[in-house]
Short mmCIF file of all heavy atoms in Angstrom, two decimals:
data_model
loop_
_atom_site.label_atom_id
_atom_site.label_comp_id
_atom_site.label_asym_id
_atom_site.label_seq_id
_atom_site.Cartn_x
_atom_site.Cartn_y
_atom_site.Cartn_z
N GLY A 1 0.86 -1.25 0.05
CA GLY A 1 0.02 0.01 -0.07
C GLY A 1 0.85 1.31 -0.02
O GLY A 1 0.53 2.23 -0.70
N GLY A 2 1.88 1.33 0.77
CA GLY A 2 2.77 2.38 0.79
C GLY A 2 3.43 2.59 -0.48
O GLY A 2 3.62 3.75 -0.92
N GLY A 3 3.88 1.58 -1.12
CA GLY A 3 4.58 1.69 -2.42
C GLY A 3 3.70 2.21 -3.40
O GLY A 3 4.03 3.00 -4.33
N ALA A 4 2.35 1.82 -3.45
CA ALA A 4 1.40 2.26 -4.28
C ALA A 4 1.20 3.83 -4.24
O ALA A 4 1.02 4.52 -5.19
CB ALA A 4 0.04 1.58 -4.29
N SER A 5 1.11 4.26 -2.94
CA SER A 5 0.97 5.67 -2.66
C SER A 5 2.00 6.49 -3.18
O SER A 5 1.83 7.57 -3.82
CB SER A 5 0.77 6.01 -1.29
OG SER A 5 -0.44 5.50 -0.74
N VAL A 6 3.23 6.00 -2.91
CA VAL A 6 4.44 6.63 -3.39
C VAL A 6 4.46 6.68 -4.96
O VAL A 6 4.75 7.77 -5.60
CB VAL A 6 5.74 6.15 -2.86
CG1 VAL A 6 7.03 6.63 -3.63
CG2 VAL A 6 5.90 6.28 -1.34
N LEU A 7 4.11 5.70 -5.58
CA LEU A 7 4.18 5.52 -7.18
C LEU A 7 3.06 6.53 -7.56
O LEU A 7 3.32 7.17 -8.63
CB LEU A 7 3.75 4.14 -7.44
CG LEU A 7 3.80 3.71 -8.94
CD1 LEU A 7 5.16 4.06 -9.55
CD2 LEU A 7 3.32 2.40 -9.24
N ALA A 8 1.92 6.56 -6.97
CA ALA A 8 0.87 7.51 -7.45
C ALA A 8 1.21 8.93 -7.44
O ALA A 8 0.99 9.67 -8.36
CB ALA A 8 -0.47 7.27 -6.75
N VAL A 9 1.91 9.26 -6.28
CA VAL A 9 2.39 10.76 -6.15
C VAL A 9 3.47 10.93 -7.08
O VAL A 9 3.63 12.17 -7.70
CB VAL A 9 2.87 10.96 -4.73
CG1 VAL A 9 3.48 12.35 -4.51
CG2 VAL A 9 1.56 10.84 -3.82
N VAL A 10 4.45 10.18 -7.24
CA VAL A 10 5.78 10.43 -8.00
C VAL A 10 5.41 10.23 -9.39
O VAL A 10 5.96 11.07 -10.38
CB VAL A 10 6.91 9.48 -7.54
CG1 VAL A 10 8.11 9.67 -8.46
CG2 VAL A 10 7.26 9.86 -6.12
N GLY A 11 4.69 9.22 -9.76
CA GLY A 11 4.49 8.90 -11.31
C GLY A 11 3.50 9.54 -12.02
O GLY A 11 3.25 9.43 -13.12
N GLY A 12 2.63 10.35 -11.27
CA GLY A 12 1.54 11.11 -11.80
C GLY A 12 0.44 10.27 -12.50
O GLY A 12 0.18 9.18 -12.12
N ARG A 13 -0.20 10.86 -13.56
CA ARG A 13 -1.29 10.24 -14.12
C ARG A 13 -1.18 8.83 -14.61
O ARG A 13 -1.97 7.97 -14.35
CB ARG A 13 -1.86 11.19 -15.35
CG ARG A 13 -3.10 10.47 -16.03
CD ARG A 13 -3.50 11.43 -17.18
NE ARG A 13 -4.59 10.63 -17.91
CZ ARG A 13 -5.95 10.80 -17.58
NH1 ARG A 13 -6.22 11.34 -16.39
NH2 ARG A 13 -6.88 10.18 -18.23
N TRP A 14 0.05 8.51 -15.29
CA TRP A 14 0.17 7.20 -15.80
C TRP A 14 0.36 6.16 -14.77
O TRP A 14 -0.12 4.97 -14.84
CB TRP A 14 1.38 7.28 -16.78
CG TRP A 14 1.04 7.91 -18.08
CD1 TRP A 14 1.54 9.13 -18.44
CD2 TRP A 14 0.17 7.52 -19.07
NE1 TRP A 14 0.84 9.50 -19.62
CE2 TRP A 14 0.03 8.49 -19.99
CE3 TRP A 14 -0.69 6.32 -19.20
CZ2 TRP A 14 -0.74 8.39 -21.29
CZ3 TRP A 14 -1.42 6.20 -20.42
CH2 TRP A 14 -1.48 7.23 -21.42
N ALA A 15 0.92 6.55 -13.59
CA ALA A 15 1.06 5.62 -12.46
C ALA A 15 -0.27 5.39 -11.89
O ALA A 15 -0.70 4.28 -11.51
CB ALA A 15 1.89 6.22 -11.44
N VAL A 16 -1.14 6.48 -11.85
CA VAL A 16 -2.47 6.24 -11.20
C VAL A 16 -3.27 5.32 -12.13
O VAL A 16 -4.05 4.41 -11.64
CB VAL A 16 -3.28 7.59 -11.05
CG1 VAL A 16 -4.63 7.47 -10.79
CG2 VAL A 16 -2.54 8.42 -9.97
N LEU A 17 -3.22 5.59 -13.47
CA LEU A 17 -3.95 4.69 -14.45
C LEU A 17 -3.45 3.21 -14.22
O LEU A 17 -4.28 2.39 -14.38
CB LEU A 17 -3.63 5.15 -15.78
CG LEU A 17 -4.48 6.44 -16.33
CD1 LEU A 17 -3.94 6.78 -17.64
CD2 LEU A 17 -6.00 6.12 -16.44
N GLY A 18 -2.06 2.95 -14.11
CA GLY A 18 -1.66 1.69 -13.93
C GLY A 18 -2.26 0.96 -12.61
O GLY A 18 -2.63 -0.17 -12.64
N ILE A 19 -2.22 1.71 -11.49
CA ILE A 19 -2.73 1.14 -10.28
C ILE A 19 -4.22 0.85 -10.36
O ILE A 19 -4.78 -0.12 -9.97
CB ILE A 19 -2.53 2.22 -9.10
CG1 ILE A 19 -1.12 2.32 -8.86
CG2 ILE A 19 -3.29 1.74 -7.91
CD1 ILE A 19 -0.74 3.53 -7.93
N LEU A 20 -4.97 1.88 -11.00
CA LEU A 20 -6.39 1.62 -11.30
C LEU A 20 -6.62 0.42 -12.10
O LEU A 20 -7.54 -0.48 -11.88
CB LEU A 20 -7.07 2.87 -11.91
CG LEU A 20 -7.18 4.01 -10.84
CD1 LEU A 20 -7.80 5.30 -11.65
CD2 LEU A 20 -8.02 3.69 -9.74
N PHE A 21 -5.91 0.28 -13.33
CA PHE A 21 -6.12 -0.77 -14.32
C PHE A 21 -5.94 -2.19 -13.52
O PHE A 21 -6.79 -3.09 -13.66
CB PHE A 21 -5.18 -0.59 -15.35
CG PHE A 21 -5.08 -1.95 -16.20
CD1 PHE A 21 -6.10 -2.22 -17.11
CD2 PHE A 21 -4.02 -2.69 -16.23
CE1 PHE A 21 -6.10 -3.46 -17.80
CE2 PHE A 21 -3.93 -3.86 -17.10
CZ PHE A 21 -4.95 -4.18 -17.83
N VAL A 22 -4.88 -2.38 -12.86
CA VAL A 22 -4.58 -3.61 -12.14
C VAL A 22 -5.72 -3.93 -11.19
O VAL A 22 -6.18 -5.09 -11.22
CB VAL A 22 -3.29 -3.56 -11.35
CG1 VAL A 22 -3.01 -4.78 -10.47
CG2 VAL A 22 -2.10 -3.41 -12.38
N HIS A 23 -6.10 -3.08 -10.41
CA HIS A 23 -7.15 -3.31 -9.40
C HIS A 23 -8.46 -3.42 -9.99
O HIS A 23 -9.43 -4.25 -9.46
CB HIS A 23 -7.08 -2.24 -8.29
CG HIS A 23 -5.90 -2.46 -7.41
ND1 HIS A 23 -4.71 -1.81 -7.68
CD2 HIS A 23 -5.67 -3.22 -6.33
CE1 HIS A 23 -3.76 -2.19 -6.84
NE2 HIS A 23 -4.26 -3.02 -6.01
N MET A 24 -8.86 -2.74 -11.14
CA MET A 24 -10.12 -2.86 -11.85
C MET A 24 -10.27 -4.35 -12.38
O MET A 24 -11.26 -4.89 -12.28
CB MET A 24 -10.30 -1.77 -12.87
CG MET A 24 -10.57 -0.39 -12.45
SD MET A 24 -11.72 -0.08 -11.03
CE MET A 24 -10.63 0.16 -9.75
N VAL A 25 -9.25 -4.70 -13.00
CA VAL A 25 -9.23 -6.25 -13.59
C VAL A 25 -9.40 -7.18 -12.37
O VAL A 25 -10.30 -8.07 -12.53
CB VAL A 25 -7.86 -6.45 -14.22
CG1 VAL A 25 -7.79 -7.89 -14.60
CG2 VAL A 25 -7.75 -5.52 -15.53
N LEU A 26 -8.79 -7.03 -11.31
CA LEU A 26 -8.93 -7.89 -10.17
C LEU A 26 -10.28 -7.90 -9.62
O LEU A 26 -10.90 -8.73 -9.20
CB LEU A 26 -7.88 -7.64 -9.12
CG LEU A 26 -6.50 -7.84 -9.44
CD1 LEU A 26 -5.45 -7.43 -8.37
CD2 LEU A 26 -6.17 -9.42 -9.87
N ALA A 27 -10.76 -6.54 -9.48
CA ALA A 27 -12.26 -6.40 -9.04
C ALA A 27 -13.14 -7.17 -9.82
O ALA A 27 -14.06 -7.72 -9.41
CB ALA A 27 -12.57 -4.85 -8.84
N VAL A 28 -12.99 -7.10 -11.19
CA VAL A 28 -13.97 -7.77 -12.17
C VAL A 28 -13.68 -9.24 -11.85
O VAL A 28 -14.66 -9.94 -11.91
CB VAL A 28 -13.48 -7.51 -13.62
CG1 VAL A 28 -14.29 -8.47 -14.57
CG2 VAL A 28 -13.93 -6.02 -13.85
N GLU A 29 -12.53 -9.74 -11.77
CA GLU A 29 -12.30 -11.24 -11.53
C GLU A 29 -12.94 -11.75 -10.26
O GLU A 29 -13.41 -12.80 -10.15
CB GLU A 29 -10.73 -11.48 -11.56
CG GLU A 29 -9.98 -11.28 -12.86
CD GLU A 29 -10.28 -12.41 -13.78
OE1 GLU A 29 -10.91 -13.49 -13.40
OE2 GLU A 29 -9.76 -12.45 -14.87
N GLY A 30 -12.92 -10.75 -9.26
CA GLY A 30 -13.45 -11.17 -7.98
C GLY A 30 -15.00 -11.07 -7.84
O GLY A 30 -15.71 -11.86 -7.44
N LEU A 31 -15.38 -9.80 -8.09
CA LEU A 31 -16.90 -9.43 -8.00
C LEU A 31 -17.81 -10.08 -9.06
O LEU A 31 -18.93 -10.40 -8.78
CB LEU A 31 -17.13 -7.99 -7.94
CG LEU A 31 -16.38 -7.25 -6.70
CD1 LEU A 31 -16.52 -5.77 -6.86
CD2 LEU A 31 -16.93 -7.74 -5.28
N LEU A 32 -17.28 -10.11 -10.20
CA LEU A 32 -17.93 -10.68 -11.43
C LEU A 32 -17.39 -11.99 -11.80
O LEU A 32 -17.26 -12.16 -13.01
CB LEU A 32 -18.00 -9.57 -12.50
CG LEU A 32 -18.57 -8.26 -12.06
CD1 LEU A 32 -18.47 -7.30 -13.50
CD2 LEU A 32 -20.11 -8.38 -11.71
N TRP A 33 -16.98 -12.80 -10.96
CA TRP A 33 -16.26 -13.91 -11.23
C TRP A 33 -16.84 -14.90 -12.21
O TRP A 33 -16.30 -15.49 -13.12
CB TRP A 33 -15.85 -14.68 -9.91
CG TRP A 33 -16.99 -15.24 -9.16
CD1 TRP A 33 -17.78 -14.58 -8.37
CD2 TRP A 33 -17.51 -16.51 -9.17
NE1 TRP A 33 -18.70 -15.41 -7.77
CE2 TRP A 33 -18.55 -16.72 -8.33
CE3 TRP A 33 -16.94 -17.81 -9.86
CZ2 TRP A 33 -19.19 -17.93 -8.06
CZ3 TRP A 33 -17.69 -18.96 -9.64
CH2 TRP A 33 -18.81 -19.05 -8.79
N ARG A 34 -18.29 -15.04 -12.06
CA ARG A 34 -18.89 -15.97 -13.05
C ARG A 34 -18.84 -15.51 -14.45
O ARG A 34 -18.57 -16.25 -15.25
CB ARG A 34 -20.41 -16.02 -12.66
CG ARG A 34 -20.69 -16.89 -11.39
CD ARG A 34 -22.12 -17.07 -11.15
NE ARG A 34 -22.43 -17.68 -9.83
CZ ARG A 34 -22.41 -19.03 -9.50
NH1 ARG A 34 -22.01 -19.83 -10.47
NH2 ARG A 34 -22.63 -19.36 -8.43
N ALA A 35 -19.04 -14.06 -14.60
CA ALA A 35 -18.96 -13.62 -16.03
C ALA A 35 -17.43 -13.76 -16.41
O ALA A 35 -17.16 -13.91 -17.64
CB ALA A 35 -19.43 -12.25 -16.02
N ALA A 36 -16.59 -13.27 -15.59
CA ALA A 36 -15.12 -13.32 -15.90
C ALA A 36 -14.63 -14.70 -16.37
O ALA A 36 -13.81 -14.85 -17.34
CB ALA A 36 -14.25 -12.78 -14.77
N ARG A 37 -15.15 -15.79 -15.74
CA ARG A 37 -14.71 -17.09 -16.12
C ARG A 37 -15.02 -17.48 -17.50
O ARG A 37 -14.31 -18.24 -18.09
CB ARG A 37 -15.32 -18.14 -15.15
CG ARG A 37 -14.83 -18.06 -13.71
CD ARG A 37 -13.35 -18.72 -13.69
NE ARG A 37 -12.81 -18.57 -12.32
CZ ARG A 37 -13.10 -19.51 -11.39
NH1 ARG A 37 -13.92 -20.59 -11.66
NH2 ARG A 37 -12.45 -19.37 -10.14
N VAL A 38 -16.20 -16.95 -18.02
CA VAL A 38 -16.72 -17.39 -19.36
C VAL A 38 -16.21 -16.37 -20.44
O VAL A 38 -16.57 -16.52 -21.62
CB VAL A 38 -18.10 -17.63 -19.35
CG1 VAL A 38 -18.59 -18.73 -18.42
CG2 VAL A 38 -18.99 -16.35 -19.09
N SER A 39 -15.65 -15.16 -20.04
CA SER A 39 -15.28 -14.29 -20.93
C SER A 39 -13.77 -14.45 -21.15
O SER A 39 -12.97 -15.04 -20.53
CB SER A 39 -15.47 -12.89 -20.37
OG SER A 39 -16.74 -12.61 -20.12
N SER A 40 -13.40 -13.89 -22.29
CA SER A 40 -11.89 -13.89 -22.72
C SER A 40 -11.17 -12.92 -21.83
O SER A 40 -11.71 -11.85 -21.23
CB SER A 40 -11.68 -13.60 -24.17
OG SER A 40 -11.85 -12.36 -24.32
N ASP A 41 -9.92 -13.18 -21.51
CA ASP A 41 -8.97 -12.34 -20.77
C ASP A 41 -9.02 -10.94 -21.37
O ASP A 41 -8.96 -9.89 -20.78
CB ASP A 41 -7.57 -12.83 -20.74
CG ASP A 41 -7.53 -14.08 -19.81
OD1 ASP A 41 -8.43 -14.24 -18.98
OD2 ASP A 41 -6.55 -14.89 -19.90
N VAL A 42 -8.87 -10.81 -22.83
CA VAL A 42 -8.89 -9.55 -23.43
C VAL A 42 -10.02 -8.56 -23.08
O VAL A 42 -9.93 -7.44 -22.76
CB VAL A 42 -8.86 -9.69 -24.95
CG1 VAL A 42 -8.89 -8.35 -25.64
CG2 VAL A 42 -7.49 -10.47 -25.27
N LEU A 43 -11.28 -9.22 -22.99
CA LEU A 43 -12.45 -8.49 -22.61
C LEU A 43 -12.41 -7.98 -21.34
O LEU A 43 -12.87 -6.87 -20.88
CB LEU A 43 -13.75 -9.43 -22.83
CG LEU A 43 -14.18 -9.69 -24.24
CD1 LEU A 43 -15.36 -10.56 -24.31
CD2 LEU A 43 -14.47 -8.34 -25.03
N VAL A 44 -11.88 -8.73 -20.36
CA VAL A 44 -11.75 -8.20 -18.83
C VAL A 44 -10.73 -7.15 -18.80
O VAL A 44 -10.97 -6.16 -18.14
CB VAL A 44 -11.25 -9.40 -18.05
CG1 VAL A 44 -11.00 -9.04 -16.61
CG2 VAL A 44 -12.43 -10.55 -17.98
N TRP A 45 -9.61 -7.37 -19.56
CA TRP A 45 -8.65 -6.27 -19.45
C TRP A 45 -9.14 -5.10 -20.23
O TRP A 45 -8.82 -3.88 -19.65
CB TRP A 45 -7.43 -6.77 -20.41
CG TRP A 45 -6.68 -8.06 -19.77
CD1 TRP A 45 -6.84 -8.46 -18.44
CD2 TRP A 45 -5.82 -8.87 -20.50
NE1 TRP A 45 -6.17 -9.66 -18.32
CE2 TRP A 45 -5.41 -9.86 -19.56
CE3 TRP A 45 -5.35 -8.98 -21.88
CZ2 TRP A 45 -4.73 -10.96 -19.94
CZ3 TRP A 45 -4.56 -10.07 -22.15
CH2 TRP A 45 -4.08 -10.97 -21.21
N LEU A 46 -9.90 -5.11 -21.24
CA LEU A 46 -10.50 -3.92 -21.89
C LEU A 46 -11.53 -3.29 -20.86
O LEU A 46 -11.56 -1.90 -20.77
CB LEU A 46 -11.20 -4.34 -23.18
CG LEU A 46 -10.43 -4.56 -24.38
CD1 LEU A 46 -11.18 -5.03 -25.55
CD2 LEU A 46 -9.59 -3.32 -24.94
N LEU A 47 -12.23 -4.05 -20.12
CA LEU A 47 -13.10 -3.45 -19.24
C LEU A 47 -12.41 -2.81 -18.18
O LEU A 47 -12.81 -1.68 -17.65
CB LEU A 47 -13.97 -4.51 -18.61
CG LEU A 47 -15.09 -4.12 -17.44
CD1 LEU A 47 -15.98 -3.03 -18.01
CD2 LEU A 47 -15.93 -5.34 -16.97
#
């Protein structure tokens, strides 16, 4: 968590986008796991 905070502050918008992307993909995999299982990885990444 501390590393993510430092990265967000130092890295600016692109770092924030990277942190959000990783966690949005994981949130889809966890919260929408039934849909994620039958979808392609590319669709989950695009979402």
Side-chain angles (χ1 to χ4, degrees):
S5 286
V6 171
L7 182 62
V9 171
V10 174
R13 177 178 174 81
W14 289 107
V16 170
L17 282 171
I19 293 168
L20 289 177
F21 169 68
V22 168
H23 290 90
M24 292 308 106
V25 170
L26 292 178
V28 170
E29 292 282 357
L31 297 175
L32 303 177
W33 64 279
R34 290 186 186 275
R37 288 283 177 88
V38 299
S39 300
S40 71
D41 289 341
V42 174
L43 287 177
V44 174
W45 300 339
L46 285 174
L47 178 58

